[in-house]
Amino acid sequence: MSVIAISTNKGGVLKTSLTVNLAGVLARQGKRVLIVDTDNQGNCALSFGLNPDQLKTTIYDVLISGTPFLPDAIRIVHDNIDLIGANDDMCFFEFDVLGNPRAFKQPFQLMRARLGPVRKKYDFVLIDTPPTLGLTQANVLTFADRVIVPFQPERYSMRSLIKIVDGIRDFREKHNSALDILAVVPTLIDSRTVLHSEVLQECRRFCQVQNILVTDTVIPRTVRFAASVAYDQKPLTISDPKSAAAKIYEQLLKELIG
Ligand code: ADP
Ligand code: MG
């Protein structure tokens, strides 16, 4: 059983798409998956056709108020997939925890303490994260065993990749010795652009030196991917598992977990 975080300090790089689509592939293979959304945008719920604002109990309640809230927070969203959703409440998480140091003596340990008891019920816990490196991300990285870092090649994205890799390794040293970078996954790739190929090459060289896997499977930028969630109310790997796009996620999963 493993807890995998999909993390990086950028938005719009397919963190949520990776989370829900990999969950879809795992579920189809008969694996029990828990998705934990920690981003206040609540996009994981949206990916399964749920309105995040209508979720009564979310990850916020679990983290702030404790394990009694767990049973209400976990919803079945598909065969083999449970979800702990997030919504706007999560905007207040850092504020509430850091503003109340007496109640929260170990602010990085909340997620591990609350979700530790349920992890054994699942084959995989996949955690979607916000595009920031604040208290939420710290809780996620304290609980996770492995991190997937999505990487969208752009002119300055190498600088940010180097920083995030350093940041995760530093975090590992200080807070969670069990944490490993599972892979860097190239996303939103347009293989026809010279910039993408160049930056991707640079990324592969850097990661090779760092002993980090960059998957051969890349997620191409296509309209079909973008449209699927909006229309189908399920991640593509569930709504259209035979599609070329879903096959790419299947291939990616194989590279990631064998
Ligand atoms: P993040 O969670 O990192 O902010 P998302 O997974 O929400 O990123 O993706 C950002 C946007 O890109 C979403 O609107 C999503 O529907 C769209 N998208 C997802 N996959 C693709 C793809 N392969 N090509 C183009 N757009 C995509
Ligand atoms: Mg997201």
Side-chain angles (χ1 to χ4, degrees), residues 10-17 43 128 188 219-222 225-226 249:
K10 295 211 159 177
V13 295
L14 306 196
K15 287 184 302 300
T16 302
S17 304
N43 286 342
D128 190 14
L188 295 170
I219 310 293
R221 179 191 289 279
T222 68
F225 274 89
Y249 278 108

Side-chain angles (χ1 to χ4, degrees), residues 178-254:
L179 185 67
D180 273 324
I181 297 177
L182 174 56
V184 169
V185 176
T187 58
L188 295 170
I189 303 298
D190 181 349
S191 53
R192 292 162 307 181
T193 69
V194 177
L195 176 70
H196 275 195
S197 342
E198 284 178 359
V199 177
L200 205 50
Q201 256 176 29
E202 204 185 325
C203 166
R204 291 190 189 281
R205 273 197 300 271
F206 166 76
C207 288
Q208 191 171 23
V209 174
Q210 299 288 324
N211 207 12
I212 295 168
L213 169 72
V214 181
T215 55
D216 287 329
T217 310
V218 305
I219 310 293
R221 179 191 289 279
T222 68
V223 175
R224 172 72 186 107
F225 274 89
S228 84
V229 161
Y231 296 119
D232 303 337
Q233 315 256 301
K234 292 275 171 178
L236 186 71
T237 49
I238 292 173
S239 63
D240 195 1
K242 300 235 178 308
S243 63
K247 293 284 176 206
I248 290 175
Y249 278 108
E250 212 173 287
Q251 197 183 324
L252 175 65
L253 182 76
K254 213 180 281 171

Side-chain angles (χ1 to χ4, degrees), residues 19-20 23 33-37 44 48 81-85 126 128:
T19 307
V20 298
V33 184
L34 174 67
I35 298 174
V36 181
D37 192 0
C44 287
F48 286 92
I81 306 181
D82 290 356
L83 167 72
I84 300 180
L126 301 185
D128 190 14

Side-chain angles (χ1 to χ4, degrees), residues 38-92:
T38 63
D39 186 358
N40 66 279
Q41 292 185 77
N43 286 342
C44 287
L46 281 172
S47 304
F48 286 92
L50 299 171
N51 178 349
D53 293 331
Q54 287 177 353
L55 300 177
K56 278 219 184 72
T57 315
T58 64
I59 187 66
Y60 171 84
D61 304 291
V62 175
L63 293 175
I64 293 285
S65 312
T67 39
F69 286 80
L70 257 177
D72 293 333
I74 299 178
R75 323 171 128 247
I76 301 168
V77 287
H78 191 75
D79 292 344
N80 288 334
I81 306 181
D82 290 356
L83 167 72
I84 300 180
N87 60 24
D88 258 358
D89 288 354
M90 209 43 196
C91 299
F92 298 90

